[in-house]
Short mmCIF file of all heavy atoms in Angstrom, two decimals:
data_model
loop_
_atom_site.label_atom_id
_atom_site.label_comp_id
_atom_site.label_asym_id
_atom_site.label_seq_id
_atom_site.Cartn_x
_atom_site.Cartn_y
_atom_site.Cartn_z
N MET A 843 -65.17 -136.64 -57.93
CA MET A 843 -66.14 -135.70 -58.49
C MET A 843 -66.74 -134.83 -57.39
O MET A 843 -66.89 -133.61 -57.55
CB MET A 843 -67.25 -136.47 -59.22
CG MET A 843 -68.38 -135.60 -59.72
SD MET A 843 -69.82 -136.56 -60.30
CE MET A 843 -70.55 -137.05 -58.71
N HIS A 844 -67.08 -135.45 -56.27
CA HIS A 844 -67.78 -134.76 -55.19
C HIS A 844 -66.94 -133.61 -54.62
O HIS A 844 -67.49 -132.58 -54.17
CB HIS A 844 -68.13 -135.76 -54.09
CG HIS A 844 -69.12 -135.25 -53.10
ND1 HIS A 844 -69.26 -135.76 -51.83
CD2 HIS A 844 -70.04 -134.25 -53.18
CE1 HIS A 844 -70.22 -135.12 -51.18
NE2 HIS A 844 -70.70 -134.19 -51.98
N THR A 845 -65.62 -133.74 -54.67
CA THR A 845 -64.77 -132.70 -54.09
C THR A 845 -64.90 -131.37 -54.82
O THR A 845 -64.51 -130.33 -54.28
CB THR A 845 -63.29 -133.12 -54.12
OG1 THR A 845 -62.89 -133.36 -55.49
CG2 THR A 845 -63.07 -134.39 -53.31
N TRP A 846 -65.46 -131.37 -56.02
CA TRP A 846 -65.62 -130.12 -56.76
C TRP A 846 -66.52 -129.15 -56.01
O TRP A 846 -66.43 -127.94 -56.18
CB TRP A 846 -66.19 -130.42 -58.15
CG TRP A 846 -66.17 -129.25 -59.08
CD1 TRP A 846 -65.09 -128.71 -59.71
CD2 TRP A 846 -67.31 -128.46 -59.49
NE1 TRP A 846 -65.46 -127.63 -60.49
CE2 TRP A 846 -66.82 -127.46 -60.37
CE3 TRP A 846 -68.67 -128.50 -59.21
CZ2 TRP A 846 -67.65 -126.52 -60.96
CZ3 TRP A 846 -69.49 -127.56 -59.79
CH2 TRP A 846 -68.99 -126.59 -60.66
N TRP A 847 -67.42 -129.69 -55.17
CA TRP A 847 -68.34 -128.83 -54.41
C TRP A 847 -67.82 -128.52 -53.01
O TRP A 847 -68.52 -127.89 -52.22
CB TRP A 847 -69.71 -129.50 -54.32
CG TRP A 847 -70.46 -129.48 -55.62
CD1 TRP A 847 -71.17 -128.44 -56.13
CD2 TRP A 847 -70.55 -130.53 -56.58
NE1 TRP A 847 -71.70 -128.79 -57.35
CE2 TRP A 847 -71.34 -130.07 -57.66
CE3 TRP A 847 -70.04 -131.83 -56.66
CZ2 TRP A 847 -71.63 -130.84 -58.77
CZ3 TRP A 847 -70.33 -132.61 -57.77
CH2 TRP A 847 -71.12 -132.11 -58.81
N ALA A 848 -66.63 -128.98 -52.68
CA ALA A 848 -66.08 -128.75 -51.34
C ALA A 848 -65.62 -127.31 -51.20
O ALA A 848 -65.31 -126.62 -52.18
CB ALA A 848 -64.93 -129.71 -51.07
N GLU A 849 -65.57 -126.84 -49.95
CA GLU A 849 -65.02 -125.53 -49.67
C GLU A 849 -63.49 -125.59 -49.81
O GLU A 849 -62.89 -126.66 -49.94
CB GLU A 849 -65.40 -125.09 -48.25
CG GLU A 849 -66.90 -125.09 -47.99
CD GLU A 849 -67.66 -124.23 -48.98
OE1 GLU A 849 -67.28 -123.06 -49.16
OE2 GLU A 849 -68.63 -124.75 -49.59
N THR A 850 -62.85 -124.44 -49.74
CA THR A 850 -61.40 -124.40 -49.94
C THR A 850 -60.64 -125.18 -48.87
O THR A 850 -59.54 -125.67 -49.11
CB THR A 850 -60.91 -122.94 -49.95
OG1 THR A 850 -61.36 -122.28 -48.76
CG2 THR A 850 -61.45 -122.21 -51.17
N ASP A 851 -61.26 -125.32 -47.67
CA ASP A 851 -60.60 -126.09 -46.61
C ASP A 851 -60.97 -127.56 -46.64
O ASP A 851 -60.59 -128.33 -45.75
CB ASP A 851 -60.94 -125.51 -45.23
CG ASP A 851 -62.43 -125.56 -44.93
OD1 ASP A 851 -63.21 -126.05 -45.80
OD2 ASP A 851 -62.84 -125.12 -43.84
N GLY A 852 -61.72 -127.98 -47.67
CA GLY A 852 -62.05 -129.40 -47.83
C GLY A 852 -63.37 -129.80 -47.20
O GLY A 852 -63.84 -130.93 -47.44
N THR A 853 -63.97 -128.92 -46.41
CA THR A 853 -65.25 -129.27 -45.80
C THR A 853 -66.36 -129.23 -46.85
O THR A 853 -66.27 -128.52 -47.85
CB THR A 853 -65.60 -128.31 -44.65
OG1 THR A 853 -65.64 -126.98 -45.17
CG2 THR A 853 -64.58 -128.41 -43.55
N MET A 854 -67.39 -130.02 -46.60
CA MET A 854 -68.50 -130.11 -47.54
C MET A 854 -69.74 -129.48 -46.90
O MET A 854 -70.26 -129.99 -45.89
CB MET A 854 -68.78 -131.57 -47.91
CG MET A 854 -69.80 -131.74 -49.01
SD MET A 854 -69.28 -131.02 -50.58
CE MET A 854 -67.88 -132.06 -50.98
N LEU A 855 -70.20 -128.35 -47.43
CA LEU A 855 -71.35 -127.64 -46.89
C LEU A 855 -72.54 -127.62 -47.85
O LEU A 855 -73.64 -127.27 -47.46
CB LEU A 855 -70.96 -126.19 -46.56
CG LEU A 855 -69.81 -126.01 -45.56
CD1 LEU A 855 -69.51 -124.52 -45.40
CD2 LEU A 855 -70.16 -126.65 -44.22
N ARG A 856 -72.30 -127.96 -49.11
CA ARG A 856 -73.33 -127.84 -50.14
C ARG A 856 -73.96 -129.18 -50.47
O ARG A 856 -73.27 -130.21 -50.52
CB ARG A 856 -72.75 -127.20 -51.40
CG ARG A 856 -72.45 -125.74 -51.24
CD ARG A 856 -71.87 -125.14 -52.52
NE ARG A 856 -70.45 -125.39 -52.64
CZ ARG A 856 -69.71 -124.93 -53.63
NH1 ARG A 856 -70.26 -124.21 -54.60
NH2 ARG A 856 -68.41 -125.18 -53.67
N SER A 857 -75.27 -129.16 -50.68
CA SER A 857 -75.98 -130.36 -51.13
C SER A 857 -75.85 -130.48 -52.65
O SER A 857 -75.78 -129.48 -53.37
CB SER A 857 -77.46 -130.29 -50.75
OG SER A 857 -77.61 -130.27 -49.35
#
Side-chain angles (χ1 to χ4, degrees):
M843 174 191 76
H844 194 202
T845 59
W846 190 74
W847 287 280
E849 304 304 309
T850 54
D851 61 0
T853 58
M854 187 63 66
L855 302 177
R856 288 180 278 183
S857 296

